[in-house]
């Protein structure tokens, strides 16, 4: 489905990298490299670790930068006896706008279930932020021909009991687990096929109108050298970038993909 009406969204997920000093330097360098035209053409969200959020937010506010602040995770309760956790409500107070949820590292390493992902999505939307919901299959699932079962199953669970309006405002990121941090990327055609199946499923769950406005990202070893091909696919509206977002010069080139063939 043509992406003319959906504004591209490029997200940098720093994972557990960059302390708050490095975060400030990194955002300053990125701000220097990107232009007003870049921000007019794409939404750029940055997802630093929790300890960096306040510093990055202050920098964005003070210098009136156009980056959109994001987080990588949240707890589903507003407050309470959950040692070490950070609530969606606290993130909203820091002007966080986007929260990644259901990342495969959270699901696989920290045992987050689809039910938990669902409750985090509810908390994120209740606090008027946008969830970036990650879905994706393992290599074993892919080789067993289970990609669509896994990805669409995760999607259906995440969208359960959400209204048309709530679904419309979400971002869904297809991140095949075997492509994360491995240097292997799904071919652009392959990513397009899965992502267009996600859009079709959203149309079934909600409506064609909603499906045509939801922004869908690809993630997994995205770099400046493969971004143009990925973004040329009709259903891919953006990317969720891990490793390559840690290098401001590389990430700037990714954000400026439209300037190169
Ligand atoms: P890489 O870009 O390092 O493969 O990571 C992708 C990812 O997990 C982003 O959330």
């Amino acid at each position: 489905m043509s992406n003319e009406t959906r504004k591209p969204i490029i997200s940098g997920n720093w994972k557990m990298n960059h302390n708050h000093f490095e975060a400030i330097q990194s955002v300053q360098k990125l701000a220097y490299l990107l232009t007003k035209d870049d921000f007019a053409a794409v939404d750029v969200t940055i997802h630093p670790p929790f300890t960096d959020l306040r510093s990055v937010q202050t920098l964005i506010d003070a210098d009136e930068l156009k980056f959109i602040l994001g987080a990588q995770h949240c707890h589903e309760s507003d407050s309470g006896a959950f040692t070490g956790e950070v609530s969606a409500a606290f993130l909203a107070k820091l002007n966080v706008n986007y929260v990644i949820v259901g990342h495969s590292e959270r699901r696989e390493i920290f045992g987050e279930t689809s039910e938990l992902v669902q409750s985090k999505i509810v908390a994120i939307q209740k606090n008027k932020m946008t969830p970036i919901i990650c879905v994706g299959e393992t290599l074993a699932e892919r080789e067993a021909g289970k990609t669509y079962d896994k990805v669409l199953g995760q999607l259906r669970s995440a969208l359960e009991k959400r209204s048309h309006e709530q679904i419309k405002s979400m971002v869904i990121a297809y991140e095949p687990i075997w492509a994360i941090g491995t240097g292997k990327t799904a071919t652009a055609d392959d990513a397009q096929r899965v992502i267009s199946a996600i859009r079709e499923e959203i149309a079934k769950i909600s409506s064609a109108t909603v499906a045509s406005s939801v922004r869908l990202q690809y993630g997994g070893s995205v770099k400046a050298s493969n971004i143009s091909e990925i973004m040329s696919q009709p259903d891919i509206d953006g990317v969720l970038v891990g490793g390559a977002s840690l290098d401001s010069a590389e990430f700037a080139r990714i954000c400026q993909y439209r300037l190169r063939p």
Side-chain angles (χ1 to χ4, degrees):
M1 190 177 284
S2 155
N3 51 13
E4 274 158 30
T5 54
R6 299 182 297 270
K7 188 173 182 191
I9 173 165
I10 311 267
S11 302
N13 173 12
W14 290 356
K15 309 191 179 183
M16 199 174 75
N17 295 289
H18 285 346
N19 62 42
H20 77 283
F21 296 114
E22 293 162 335
I24 290 170
Q25 278 180 351
S26 184
V27 172
Q28 279 172 332
K29 187 165 175 199
L30 197 57
Y32 173 77
L33 293 167
L34 296 180
T35 66
K36 239 170 69 186
D37 288 350
D38 296 330
F39 290 108
V42 296
D43 283 342
V44 181
T45 77
I46 299 182
H47 303 253
F50 284 142
T51 51
D52 305 359
L53 282 174
R54 180 66 170 150
S55 309
V56 174
Q57 181 231 342
T58 308
L59 177 63
I60 289 176
D61 286 356
D63 292 0
E64 296 181 11
L65 305 178
K66 303 289 178 219
F67 298 113
I68 308 173
L69 189 58
Q72 301 174 14
H73 169 64
C74 69
H75 194 273
E76 57 282 8
S77 302
D78 281 350
S79 62
F82 302 104
T83 302
E85 286 293 310
V86 173
S87 75
F90 296 168
L91 296 176
K93 288 276 183 236
L94 280 174
N95 295 346
V96 166
N97 274 292
Y98 287 79
V99 185
I100 297 170
V101 56
H103 193 282
S104 59
E105 286 152 17
R106 301 291 325 172
R107 295 184 195 253
E108 304 266 312
I109 306 171
F110 300 101
E112 292 190 3
T113 61
S114 284
E115 292 67 38
L116 192 60
V117 169
Q118 221 181 71
S119 59
K120 290 179 195 291
I121 294 168
V122 171
I124 293 163
Q125 293 198 310
K126 190 182 89 178
N127 285 285
K128 306 202 173 359
M129 298 179 291
T130 300
I132 298 183
I133 304 166
C134 302
V135 294
E137 81 286 6
T138 63
L139 185 59
E141 288 160 344
R142 183 178 190 82
E143 285 171 348
K146 299 229 158 61
T147 298
Y148 291 87
D149 285 354
K150 172 78 178 292
V151 167
L152 300 182
Q154 286 178 329
L155 178 77
R156 279 190 290 270
S157 164
L159 270 46
E160 222 173 86
K161 302 192 197 101
R162 297 283 84 194
S163 68
H164 294 308
E165 279 311 305
Q166 284 165 334
I167 294 175
K168 198 171 165 180
S169 68
M170 294 172 171
V171 175
I172 315 282
Y174 168 55
E175 295 206 307
I177 296 171
W178 49 271
I180 296 178
T182 57
K184 290 185 199 152
T185 18
T187 63
D189 283 352
D190 232 9
Q192 160 63 22
R193 263 193 295 279
V194 179
I195 287 175
S196 86
I198 291 175
R199 202 178 294 288
E200 278 167 30
E201 193 67 22
I202 296 172
K204 280 190 219 154
I205 297 167
S206 183
S207 73
T209 320
V210 168
S212 67
S213 35
V214 175
R215 293 189 292 178
L216 306 181
Q217 291 178 317
Y218 166 78
S221 298
V222 173
K223 301 186 268 301
S225 57
N226 57 25
I227 180 72
S228 301
E229 205 196 342
I230 293 167
M231 290 304 291
S232 69
Q233 300 300 318
D235 280 291
I236 302 183
D237 307 313
V239 286
L240 182 52
V241 186
S245 71
L246 297 174
D247 175 343
S248 299
E250 174 85 5
F251 192 56
R253 283 196 294 278
I254 292 173
C255 295
Q256 292 170 329
Y257 70 93
R258 72 188 194 289
L259 304 178
R260 291 182 308 275

